[in-house]
Short mmCIF file of all heavy atoms in Angstrom, two decimals:
data_model
loop_
_atom_site.label_atom_id
_atom_site.label_comp_id
_atom_site.label_asym_id
_atom_site.label_seq_id
_atom_site.Cartn_x
_atom_site.Cartn_y
_atom_site.Cartn_z
N THR A 205 23.31 16.47 75.54
CA THR A 205 24.51 17.48 75.40
C THR A 205 23.78 18.90 75.55
O THR A 205 22.86 19.10 74.77
CB THR A 205 25.03 17.30 74.00
OG1 THR A 205 25.63 15.98 73.86
CG2 THR A 205 26.11 18.26 73.97
N THR A 206 24.34 19.65 76.45
CA THR A 206 23.76 20.96 76.63
C THR A 206 24.25 21.82 75.43
O THR A 206 25.50 21.72 74.95
CB THR A 206 24.34 21.67 77.86
OG1 THR A 206 23.75 20.84 79.02
CG2 THR A 206 23.89 23.11 78.03
N VAL A 207 23.46 22.65 74.81
CA VAL A 207 23.79 23.52 73.60
C VAL A 207 23.25 24.85 73.94
O VAL A 207 22.50 25.15 74.80
CB VAL A 207 23.14 22.98 72.31
CG1 VAL A 207 23.73 21.51 72.02
CG2 VAL A 207 21.66 22.89 72.46
N ASP A 208 23.78 25.72 73.15
CA ASP A 208 23.39 27.24 73.20
C ASP A 208 22.40 27.55 72.13
O ASP A 208 22.70 27.21 70.94
CB ASP A 208 24.68 28.15 73.08
CG ASP A 208 24.30 29.52 73.21
OD1 ASP A 208 23.96 30.17 72.14
OD2 ASP A 208 24.46 30.24 74.32
N LEU A 209 21.19 28.03 72.43
CA LEU A 209 20.19 28.22 71.45
C LEU A 209 20.48 29.21 70.38
O LEU A 209 20.24 29.02 69.32
CB LEU A 209 18.85 28.65 72.21
CG LEU A 209 17.59 28.75 71.29
CD1 LEU A 209 17.38 27.46 70.41
CD2 LEU A 209 16.44 29.11 72.09
N ASP A 210 21.34 30.29 70.80
CA ASP A 210 21.71 31.28 69.84
C ASP A 210 22.64 30.55 68.87
O ASP A 210 22.51 30.89 67.52
CB ASP A 210 22.39 32.36 70.52
CG ASP A 210 21.46 33.27 71.26
OD1 ASP A 210 20.36 33.35 70.89
OD2 ASP A 210 21.89 33.70 72.34
N ASP A 211 23.57 29.64 69.24
CA ASP A 211 24.41 28.97 68.32
C ASP A 211 23.59 28.10 67.42
O ASP A 211 23.86 27.98 66.24
CB ASP A 211 25.49 28.20 69.13
CG ASP A 211 26.50 29.07 69.85
OD1 ASP A 211 26.61 30.18 69.48
OD2 ASP A 211 27.22 28.54 70.73
N GLU A 212 22.63 27.36 67.96
CA GLU A 212 21.74 26.63 67.18
C GLU A 212 20.94 27.36 66.21
O GLU A 212 20.83 26.95 64.97
CB GLU A 212 20.71 25.83 68.10
CG GLU A 212 21.32 24.87 69.04
CD GLU A 212 21.97 23.60 68.45
OE1 GLU A 212 21.43 23.18 67.53
OE2 GLU A 212 22.97 23.15 68.91
N TYR A 213 20.60 28.54 66.47
CA TYR A 213 19.83 29.34 65.50
C TYR A 213 20.81 29.87 64.44
O TYR A 213 20.39 29.86 63.23
CB TYR A 213 19.15 30.55 66.29
CG TYR A 213 18.12 31.25 65.35
CD1 TYR A 213 17.16 30.58 64.60
CD2 TYR A 213 18.11 32.70 65.36
CE1 TYR A 213 16.19 31.33 63.88
CE2 TYR A 213 17.20 33.29 64.72
CZ TYR A 213 16.31 32.65 63.85
OH TYR A 213 15.43 33.28 62.96
N ASP A 214 21.97 30.30 64.80
CA ASP A 214 22.89 30.62 63.80
C ASP A 214 23.27 29.56 62.85
O ASP A 214 23.32 29.78 61.58
CB ASP A 214 24.17 31.17 64.44
CG ASP A 214 24.08 32.53 65.17
OD1 ASP A 214 23.14 33.22 64.88
OD2 ASP A 214 24.91 32.85 66.07
N ARG A 215 23.36 28.44 63.31
CA ARG A 215 23.72 27.27 62.50
C ARG A 215 22.49 26.99 61.59
O ARG A 215 22.66 26.63 60.47
CB ARG A 215 24.00 26.03 63.39
CG ARG A 215 24.47 24.81 62.66
CD ARG A 215 24.90 23.64 63.56
NE ARG A 215 25.85 24.06 64.46
CZ ARG A 215 25.78 24.31 65.85
NH1 ARG A 215 24.59 24.18 66.26
NH2 ARG A 215 26.69 24.58 66.59
N TYR A 216 21.24 27.10 62.14
CA TYR A 216 20.01 26.78 61.37
C TYR A 216 19.95 27.89 60.20
O TYR A 216 19.62 27.52 59.03
CB TYR A 216 18.76 27.00 62.22
CG TYR A 216 17.49 26.97 61.55
CD1 TYR A 216 16.87 25.80 61.07
CD2 TYR A 216 16.92 28.23 61.18
CE1 TYR A 216 15.63 25.88 60.53
CE2 TYR A 216 15.64 28.12 60.62
CZ TYR A 216 14.99 26.97 60.28
OH TYR A 216 13.84 27.08 59.47
N LEU A 217 20.22 29.17 60.49
CA LEU A 217 20.12 30.19 59.51
C LEU A 217 21.23 30.07 58.42
O LEU A 217 21.05 30.47 57.15
CB LEU A 217 20.26 31.61 60.06
CG LEU A 217 19.14 31.99 60.99
CD1 LEU A 217 19.52 33.43 61.56
CD2 LEU A 217 17.86 32.05 60.33
N ALA A 218 22.34 29.42 58.81
CA ALA A 218 23.47 29.18 57.77
C ALA A 218 23.34 27.88 56.93
O ALA A 218 23.90 27.84 55.93
CB ALA A 218 24.82 29.13 58.55
N THR A 219 22.29 27.21 57.35
CA THR A 219 22.12 25.90 56.38
C THR A 219 21.22 26.31 55.22
O THR A 219 20.54 27.16 55.17
CB THR A 219 21.40 24.85 57.26
OG1 THR A 219 20.19 25.29 57.76
CG2 THR A 219 22.25 24.42 58.42
#
Side-chain angles (χ1 to χ4, degrees):
T205 303
T206 299
V207 296
D208 183 273
L209 185 54
D210 291 325
D211 291 343
E212 293 291 322
Y213 191 47
D214 289 342
R215 188 176 301 111
Y216 172 83
L217 293 177
T219 59

